[in-house]
Amino acid sequence: MHSRWSGFLQKKGWGPGKVRVRSVIHLNVADFAVEVERQLDCRLRRRPVIIAPEAAVRASVYDMSEEAYQEGVRKGMPLRQALRFCSGARVLPPHFDRYERAMAVFLKRVLPFSPVIEVADQKGHLFMDVTGTGRLFGPPPDIAWRIRKIIRSDMGLDPIWSVAGNKLVAKVATRLVKPSGEYIVRAGDEETFLKPLPLYLMPGISADDLKQLGEFNLSLAGQVAELSVEQLDLIFGRRSLILHNAVRGIDPSPVEPMWRKKPVIRFDHEFGNDTNKEGDVEGALYGLVEKAGAKLRRQRLAAGRFRVVLDYSDGKRTIRHASAKPPAADDFSLFAASRLALKRAWTRRVRIRHIRLICDRFVLPSAQLELFAVSRSQQEKKERLMAALDTIRNRFGSDAVQMGRMVSKDAA
Amino acid sequence: MKFKIKKNNIIDVLSRVQGITGRKSNLAITENILIQTKGDKIFIAATDLETGFEGTYPSKIESDGIVTINSKKIYEIVKNFPSDDIGFEEVDNRWLKIGNENVLFNLVGMNPDDFPEIPHIDEINFLNLNSYDFKKMIEKTVMVSAPTEEKRAHILGVKFECIEDDGEAILRMISTDGKRLSKTDYFNIEEKIEISEKDTVIIPKKGLNEVAKFLNHEGKIKVGIKDNNFIVKKENETIIINLLEGEFPEYGDIISVGDDNVIEVDKDSFRMMLKRMSILTSDEYKGVVFKFDKNTLVVRAANPEIGESKENMNIDFKGDPIEVAFNPQFFIDTLSFIDSDHVFLRIVDDEHPCFIQGKNDKSFLSVIMPMKI
């Protein structure tokens, strides 16, 4: 009995002294922003495209197509320089809301295959830990292949995929096959796989590290892998262990599932006509505050931090935050903190297209009673007013009662 | 300007003015101290535009003059200077040479004419107080600190008033953060002084913190109020604080002790119990629940993210059971400033404050509001 079980467990990778091999899939839609724009406008296909806030002074490249990349355009490059390299490129302003919506759909398609999915950024990168899902969905390459097929048919995007034992190696593998393709790195082959690859492909190795390594004529992962930690320590100090592990393909960091991230409350407002009128923007912000406040009160929470994201007409985005001390859930305190964040974010005269309010750092509302009767009655008054507004809105709809600042002057 | 001074004569004052000169203000020169020769002494002044300091110290003057020099740098130089005698000499363009034949520093100063003027106070009706007692009063009130973002005067400052109770003049200081209140009295003052037209003023807690640094454990000091300034005077040192504009809420009803349960507890046992209970509290779960019931006090702490704790204490309590939540840190802060071995807790119910007073110390009363359970 014992031998039969141990044989079965060993076969499944659960034998004594054995550790189940991790399987991480990395999905990457290359040039994500450009690909999303191309789905909306087919004329952009097969021609160089640069995503950059064109009207902005000293605009820099947010993303570019493979055609533009081949001409020498790089992310973060000044737009003027990029256009000198690739004069025929079509320049589009960034539409962050579109990319976020596309990312949400991308994630939705992937979710059925694993509960452990890390959204690395909003630019088409996902890590999935599919360890132990073999009996459900088959081997990891099959899962990746099926996801690619689904994304292609549902979204028209063509993600690159790779399967490896950890996030670092999986990411290097997708970088290697960019702009399209797939790569499987078998468990135990990490160091051999990385050996001939240039160091700039390694995540976690900074530009400063590359420069310093270049001074020692080290340009390949295999060359650095021959050095001991002690030798690296002489040059890189505390970063020596990171480098030592990176070039050997060692990365114990887990795939951080989305549900482990701190919760946030987020509401958006898209202006019908782009505007830079203070009243309109503050009115819209107050509307978002009311929604966020109602949600916080329903959940019996108070928020400590408020972030305002402004998308300008020219595609530029600014994000600033402000704190509420103590954390609050009433609309007045929420608006005071949010308006401060808005003031910090609103530094340009360009019209605003879209505003977003993000509340986080949730705590339970303060249970401490006030000492002075005046403060206590003010607090109680505020709570009663909020409760009355919530009751009216729950029964008759959110527009049943509105603050004066929400009523536009034209309507008045 | 040229003078020599003993390291011990200047090191203490330089250390204590760091709190004033270390604060950010709109003027860069407030990071400096002003040094001026006066007869056989040097005069040192520092200000952050709210709190001003002046002091005179003996030294060997060779020539007169005036300089302003970075406070932090001069303190570090003096602190680390290898010998007891330190020479100061002003050279061209507001440069100051500090050192002796072996060690020499050249520091650049600023124009002394730009140094903010500290109000000059003529003789006023000062109140003579014991330095140690006044220091204790300050410590008991400023422990109720104000959050950095607070703007209300009654939270930022301490109410200072001179009252008469049964024909006895009392100097009273009251501090609050809106959730607790600290009241401390100074009995046996020689006479009631005229504080202002309203007989009550609010002194910033920040300034009082600086005053406490200058108060010794022995000796007498003088305190007084003139125009918009609170003045504390020692033999050779004076601190002047700008008063806050604002009203302090009526506190008479809050501190009036009514028909409530008085419970005597051993101070150290009670404090240690609360310290143990506060181990499981966090920013989100600050409260612990006190249950007073039939000669027993049960304190419970529950934090869903960490766990729970419970501790019993025998007390003399015969009233109806009371269950009330408090922030234990408020009690711990208060108990550390009570000199008596035993304290009285006066408790009414879960909506009214708890009063804490030392058994043998009637001068200090702490009032703490409960939390909603």
Side-chain angles (χ1 to χ4, degrees), chain A residues 325-326 362-364 366-376 383, chain B residues 149 176 178-181 249 254 284-285 330 350 367 369-372:
Chain A
K325 286 178 185 170
F362 300 137
V363 294
L364 294 172
S366 174
Q368 179 67 55
L369 297 176
E370 288 286 335
L371 185 67
F372 295 103
V374 182
S375 319
R376 214 159 44 227
E383 283 172 11
Chain B
E149 66 278 359
T176 182
K179 297 157 188 85
R180 55 181 162 158
L181 180 141
I254 294 170
E284 281 121 66
Y285 300 96
F330 291 174
D350 60 350
V367 184
M369 276 304 278
M371 299 173 87
K372 285 184 226 162

Side-chain angles (χ1 to χ4, degrees), chain A residues 46-118:
Chain A
R46 287 184 292 280
R47 61 173 293 185
V49 179
I50 294 173
I51 310 279
E54 205 175 0
V57 184
R58 296 190 297 276
S60 58
V61 176
Y62 172 75
D63 201 1
M64 69 278 144
S65 65
E66 182 61 22
E67 295 81 4
Y69 181 84
Q70 295 300 338
E71 297 287 329
V73 180
R74 297 288 182 269
K75 283 182 188 176
M77 181 183 272
L79 181 60
R80 282 184 186 177
Q81 190 186 352
L83 288 172
R84 276 203 298 276
F85 285 131
C86 186
S87 54
R90 172 84 188 273
V91 181
L92 296 173
H95 296 99
F96 299 106
D97 52 328
R98 285 181 191 168
Y99 314 145
E100 281 170 19
R101 282 200 297 273
M103 197 64 202
V105 176
F106 183 24
L107 180 63
K108 206 173 166 184
R109 299 289 182 275
V110 176
L111 268 173
F113 294 94
S114 172
V116 189
I117 298 173
E118 181 179 324

